[in-house]
Amino acid sequence: MQYFSYLDESALDRIHEASLEILEDVGLLVRNKKARDRFAEHGAAVDETNERVRIPADVVMRYLALVPPTITLRGRDPKFDVTFPRKLPVVATASSAPDIVDPVTGLTRRATSQDIARLGHVVNELDGFDVFSISVLADDAPEGHFNLSRFYPALKNCLKPVRTSVVSVDEARQILKLGELIAGSPEAFWERPFINFGYCSIVTPLTMDFDSTENLMFFAENGVTAYGTVAPIGGINTPLSLPGMMVMVNAEWLATMCLAQMSRERTELIYNFLPVFADLRDGAYAPGAIEVGMMNSIVCQMARRYNVPAGGYLGLTNSKVSDAQAGYEKGMSPLLGALSGVDFIVMGGLLDALMSLDFGQLAIDNEIAKMVKVVRAGVEFSEEALAIDDIKRIGPAGIFADAPMTLENMTTATFMPELADRKLRETWEEQGASTIHQRALNKSMAILTRQPNPAALTPEADARIKAHFPGIVAGDSSLPDGWVPAETGPTAPVRARRQSRRRNAPG
């Protein structure tokens, strides 16, 4: 497939050269002493007084040659393992929002471990998503269980690859122990490690902090599946131009890559990024900007130049509700990414600049993900597909509705959405005049009513976990009290507006 691209080869060469120049002449501020020592041992120039590390171009290129061309994210069930690049992009939910839109009240509140259990259950059944990137935090986490209270309910209720970040190496060890308990033994887990991590080792501009850099080295040293993300904000900590931001992103990714390969050669990585832009009218954080998709297109070009998988946080939105703004912001950048050859898209479920998750939006984004994959699958071209014989046989003023090809391909030739409405207006009104968000909430609720969850852990595995981690959260998926199918009658929108006004009234 020929991918869309903005830049020609000479421009990509110049970005590469400029990135090497930045790393060699300016370098990075590296807060972690172990990392500085590792850089020094492998050919970088280190100024201990200023904690500055400068990486010569030949060192960068030596380690770039060691990065594997693919990465594998594993799930509890190996049938859900994903290795990419592949023909279709791998799509994940977006992660780590502090809040959730309560499906019963419609109001935002702090997310809990039980919300994560429900989300894992739902994502397991939404076939547009390949990976459950744990979507929210757990406000009810007991002391010492901050990310354990996220990974446990996620892994307990989802067979697909699960990933998120951790605060420290101690937390990482805790989560890996959880994996060993689920697998039944350390040997069984490490034969096929099904826990995946992310990290942000770079603080733009050009700074490696202590803890996340420690995590990067720990993951690489121990062969743990993990990948870094570069997250610049255009106009705040990078130049306010796409080429200038790309030079910064590329230099920072190359520095991360070097440290990972210095820690363990052949460490799998993704050229993954979350480049957002500041709306400088008021400084707003704008992950829904179309320039995010444009930057992803250039990142895809650089990743192919380096022969590594390309990933990006796409399909994010600044909208606070599931509305038209959410629709176009969540649709445009993933589509541009797919056309540009992105291998890994992090997109599902979040609203309000990554601050909240909505169960209805999650189901809508699943449908967007499936449409993006249809686009990326491309057009099958063959003599049979040309249908010349049918065209000649049916001829002028004919109809193709009963042609053998039509009957054979009627449910496969085009994408059949489940949530998007295509009925006549009269039929839609007679059936309740529902919104797509109402239908999407009903889909998520229908999944949660299928009990027991077929993806749930065995009682034996759960007993091992509870014995090892006293006081761990319950981690069970259940339908929230009071969540009933969204109203779809003709008066439902009016009632919903009245109820919203009552909920938000002072006092």
Side-chain angles (χ1 to χ4, degrees), residues 83-399:
T83 298
F84 54 96
R86 62 181 193 181
K87 183 174 183 179
L88 300 185
V90 172
V91 181
T93 55
S95 59
S96 299
D99 295 338
I100 198 159
V101 179
D102 190 285
V104 178
T105 68
L107 303 177
T108 56
R109 58 167 171 78
R110 289 300 188 198
T112 68
S113 60
Q114 193 168 23
D115 293 314
I116 295 171
R118 294 169 184 137
L119 289 168
H121 187 170
V122 172
V123 170
N124 196 72
E125 302 299 319
L126 295 177
D127 56 2
F129 294 121
D130 305 289
V131 175
F132 181 28
S133 186
I134 304 176
S135 305
V136 294
L137 305 181
D139 195 55
D140 60 333
E143 186 176 354
H145 285 191
F146 178 67
N147 274 309
L148 184 64
S149 298
R150 301 177 68 206
F151 268 101
Y152 170 56
L155 289 164
K156 185 174 182 178
N157 293 281
C158 188
L159 296 171
K160 296 178 181 180
V162 169
R163 59 75 55 193
T164 196
S165 58
V166 291
V167 174
S168 66
V169 168
D170 286 343
E171 267 200 346
R173 289 195 177 99
Q174 190 180 51
I175 303 306
L176 292 169
K177 182 61 182 179
L178 173 66
E180 294 174 355
L181 293 167
I182 292 172
S185 70
E187 294 76 16
F189 174 74
W190 289 103
E191 183 178 341
R192 209 188 132 271
F194 53 80
I195 292 178
N196 313 276
F197 294 94
Y199 55 83
C200 292
S201 61
I202 291 284
V203 180
T204 304
L206 299 170
T207 301
M208 285 186 166
D209 71 7
F210 182 86
D211 287 322
S212 60
T213 304
E214 191 79 8
N215 289 345
L216 180 162
M217 293 185 290
F218 172 81
F219 294 142
E221 290 163 359
N222 291 278
V224 176
T225 304
Y227 61 88
T229 299
V230 181
I233 305 176
I236 301 296
N237 55 20
T238 78
L240 189 57
S241 73
L242 268 62
M245 178 186 267
M246 191 63 231
V247 170
M248 182 78 75
V249 166
N250 201 55
E252 293 179 337
W253 184 83
L254 288 171
T256 300
M257 174 278 301
C258 282
L259 185 56
Q261 299 306 317
M262 290 171 181
S263 300
R264 184 187 180 103
E265 293 184 0
R266 308 294 298 171
T267 291
E268 295 179 342
L269 295 172
I270 307 172
Y271 196 138
N272 201 55
F273 83 121
L274 172 55
V276 301
F277 292 81
D279 187 326
L280 294 179
R281 293 172 296 184
D282 57 8
Y285 180 78
I290 189 58
E291 289 80 9
V292 173
M294 296 170 70
M295 275 294 297
N296 175 260
S297 182
I298 303 172
V299 164
C300 289
Q301 289 187 262
M302 293 304 300
R304 282 195 297 277
R305 188 186 194 280
Y306 295 150
N307 194 30
V308 297
Y313 283 69
L314 304 171
L316 304 176
T317 181
N318 286 84
S319 182
K320 315 306 179 285
V321 296
S322 184
D323 61 1
Q325 178 184 343
Y328 70 70
E329 288 184 340
K330 283 179 162 291
M332 292 181 73
S333 63
L335 183 61
L336 180 53
L339 293 172
S340 300
V342 70
D343 302 304
F344 183 57
I345 302 175
V346 182
M347 63 165 286
L350 298 196
L351 298 169
D352 191 15
L354 291 83
M355 292 300 291
S356 60
L357 180 132
D358 180 276
F359 276 93
Q361 188 63 57
L362 183 68
I364 293 170
D365 290 351
N366 176 69
E367 197 147 286
I368 293 173
K370 292 164 75 172
M371 294 172 75
V372 165
K373 290 180 181 181
V374 168
V375 171
R376 181 66 163 270
V379 177
E380 178 190 350
F381 186 85
S382 66
E383 284 298 316
E384 182 182 3
L386 289 173
I388 295 172
D389 289 342
D390 276 356
I391 295 171
K392 289 180 178 180
R393 178 174 56 81
I394 294 172
I399 187 166

Side-chain angles (χ1 to χ4, degrees), residues 29-92:
L29 178 63
V30 179
R31 298 292 193 187
N32 188 296
K33 179 66 165 63
K34 178 181 175 181
R36 293 197 302 273
D37 290 345
R38 184 157 293 173
F39 275 120
E41 291 166 6
H42 291 83
V46 177
D47 182 341
E48 279 293 336
T49 302
N50 298 313
E51 300 182 333
R52 185 71 64 93
V53 173
R54 293 176 175 85
I55 312 173
D58 65 319
V59 173
V60 175
M61 297 308 295
R62 180 165 73 246
Y63 287 103
L64 182 59
L66 298 176
V67 182
T70 64
I71 187 171
T72 298
L73 305 181
R74 297 175 183 85
R76 272 176 47 215
D77 186 334
K79 77 177 182 182
F80 291 110
D81 292 358
V82 287
T83 298
F84 54 96
R86 62 181 193 181
K87 183 174 183 179
L88 300 185
V90 172
V91 181

